[in-house]
Amino acid sequence: MMEGNADRRIHQLLLAGREKLSIEGVTNVGRFDRKEIVLDTGEGALLIKGEELHMKHLSLEQGKLCLTGRIDSLIYSNESLNQKGA
């Protein structure tokens, strides 16, 4: 179900025990620090909040990101980072 955008990547998340998060379908990373990561996905912008967040792997070519730390929340927005001016 790609709904008109052939370039849109399949987006999925795998959260293991709120300590390890693997994401597919990442198209851009706007900003990150130990408490917050903001990125674009095929489903819109995603804000990840937590403590001691650390990117273990990032490949925008493959659209994959893996991070560790304590994940407290995942918040989606329908707008991309480009639309928000980030």
Side-chain angles (χ1 to χ4, degrees), residues 15-16 18-22 33-35 37 48-57 65-71:
L15 179 60
R18 289 183 60 181
E19 295 176 350
K20 182 178 180 184
L21 179 62
S22 298
D33 59 37
R34 292 186 169 271
K35 293 188 176 206
I37 299 173
I48 303 163
K49 290 186 177 185
E51 295 291 330
E52 299 301 321
L53 300 177
H54 178 73
M55 278 196 230
K56 300 297 269 179
H57 173 80
L65 178 134
C66 294
L67 63 94
T68 59
R70 190 185 83 218
I71 291 103

Side-chain angles (χ1 to χ4, degrees), residues 5-45:
N5 188 350
D7 293 330
R8 193 162 123 185
R9 295 181 181 177
I10 293 173
H11 175 63
Q12 59 185 3
L13 303 171
L14 176 60
L15 179 60
R18 289 183 60 181
E19 295 176 350
K20 182 178 180 184
L21 179 62
S22 298
I23 307 172
E24 292 185 23
V26 175
T27 58
N28 184 32
V29 176
R31 66 180 188 273
F32 65 91
D33 59 37
R34 292 186 169 271
K35 293 188 176 206
E36 189 173 277
I37 299 173
V38 180
L39 49 92
D40 263 333
T41 73
E43 297 295 327

